[in-house]
Amino acid sequence: MDLFSQRIKRSELKEGDHVYTWRKQMYNHHGIFIGQDKIIHFVNPKIDGKLGLSASSSVMKTPACPISYCGTEKVAGGGVRMTCIDCFIRNGSLYRYKYQAQRAFVRVKLIRGGTCTTKMSDPPEEVIHRATYLHENGYEEYSLRNNNCEDFALYCKTGLVSIDISHQGRSSQVNRLLPTKVKDGYRKLTKPFKTDLGIRTDVEKVRVEMLASYVANLKLKKSNILMK
Ligand SMILES: [Zn+2]
């Protein structure tokens, strides 16, 4: 058995799990399992939105899923979707994101990123509440670098938001790809570790009901600074 494998069977899923699946072996897509067959995840409306599962989509490339809730998007363009497990994993497998991972584990996993954090998860009820609230009320704009599917799931699991609007990205799979000024290869490899949620000090807990106004405030502060 591979101790580092995070692949799980459906029967092993627990409510509130942060799960991911590999897409084309290139990147992983993340979501929160909320029970039954449902996963809430954040997609880029510009890309995944077009491939959408909704029956109304005219550019639909995949057949519509027969399950009533699957692919529903309550806020137009919001990008938070509720889908069945099959539609989430497509032809791939299911993996569980690891919380409270040992530092050594995180270091091994850094090579690909986007699979674990040393941070502890909040209780499942809280995680599910955040995910369903954001599905119903909308979420921030998608940004690969600053706010992607992994960031969404990490927020649902921890409630943590960066106090710096331009450094919201908590996603290790993106952080590892960011250009670094350090030429030294070793430093380059350890850089994402410094962005691990369990280590970052520029984050604070924000209640999901307050998230939109909190982020709006950060944006306002930033634009005020730029105008000065
Ligand atoms: Zn489906």
Side-chain angles (χ1 to χ4, degrees):
M1 195 181 90
D2 178 4
L3 282 177
F4 288 104
S5 176
Q6 291 166 252
R7 191 166 162 178
I8 55 167
K9 296 191 191 98
R10 286 175 200 224
S11 57
E12 295 173 282
L13 272 172
K14 291 193 205 85
E15 291 181 8
D17 269 351
H18 172 171
V19 291
Y20 62 92
T21 183
W22 288 97
R23 295 269 159 95
K24 298 174 188 146
Q25 294 297 311
M26 292 289 288
Y27 68 99
N28 44 24
H29 183 57
H30 299 246
I32 300 290
F33 176 67
I34 61 159
Q36 291 166 325
D37 181 39
K38 299 173 179 171
I39 292 180
I40 293 181
H41 56 125
F42 186 46
V43 302
N44 182 350
K46 291 194 184 104
I47 299 171
D48 283 333
K50 281 187 188 153
L51 298 172
L53 307 156
S54 110
S56 62
S57 172
S58 56
V59 281
M60 191 168 57
K61 293 199 176 116
T62 45
C65 177
I67 298 171
S68 63
Y69 62 79
C70 187
T72 52
E73 197 177 13
K74 294 192 180 169
V75 180
V80 180
R81 292 279 171 88
M82 188 189 287
T83 44
C84 69
I85 297 172
D86 280 325
C87 290
F88 178 79
I89 61 175
R90 297 184 186 168
N91 300 319
S93 305
L94 205 53
Y95 297 80
R96 184 189 285 133
Y97 202 92
K98 192 170 172 65
Y99 284 77
Q100 274 185 297
Q102 299 290 321
R103 285 185 178 214
F105 186 93
V106 176
R107 282 189 198 280
V108 169
K109 288 287 182 168
L110 274 183
I111 295 152
R112 295 194 95 171
T115 60
C116 57
T117 173
T118 58
K119 195 75 200 163
M120 192 177 156
S121 164
D122 285 334
E125 315 80 66
E126 221 164 309
V127 175
I128 293 168
H129 171 67
R130 288 183 190 125
T132 43
Y133 183 93
L134 294 172
H135 177 242
E136 281 162 14
N137 295 280
Y139 184 59
E140 298 306 307
E141 247 171 79
Y142 187 94
S143 152
L144 177 64
R145 178 171 169 160
N146 218 20
N147 194 32
N148 63 34
C149 56
E150 186 182 352
D151 295 316
F152 172 83
L154 283 165
Y155 171 73
C156 292
K157 287 293 270 185
T158 65
L160 293 173
V161 179
S162 172
I163 55 176
D164 176 0
I165 191 66
S166 53
H167 193 195
Q168 285 301 317
R170 292 143 289 203
S171 151
S172 55
Q173 66 172 329
V174 169
N175 282 332
R176 110 199 128 91
L177 299 173
L178 290 180
T180 166
K181 285 179 188 136
V182 185
K183 292 268 168 26
D184 171 5
Y186 176 72
R187 295 277 292 280
K188 200 168 181 172
L189 187 69
T190 55
K191 186 179 177 271
F193 194 64
K194 288 176 189 150
T195 63
D196 180 76
L197 254 191
I199 289 166
R200 280 179 70 166
T201 50
D202 64 335
V203 287
E204 62 184 0
K205 209 149 198 154
V206 178
R207 277 182 53 212
V208 70
E209 293 83 0
M210 303 301 294
L211 184 63
S213 56
Y214 181 90
V215 173
N217 227 336
L218 288 181
K219 285 182 183 161
L220 191 68
K221 265 190 212 159
K222 170 137 188 183
S223 65
N224 284 345
I225 291 168
L226 290 176
M227 278 161 70
K228 270 177 194 166

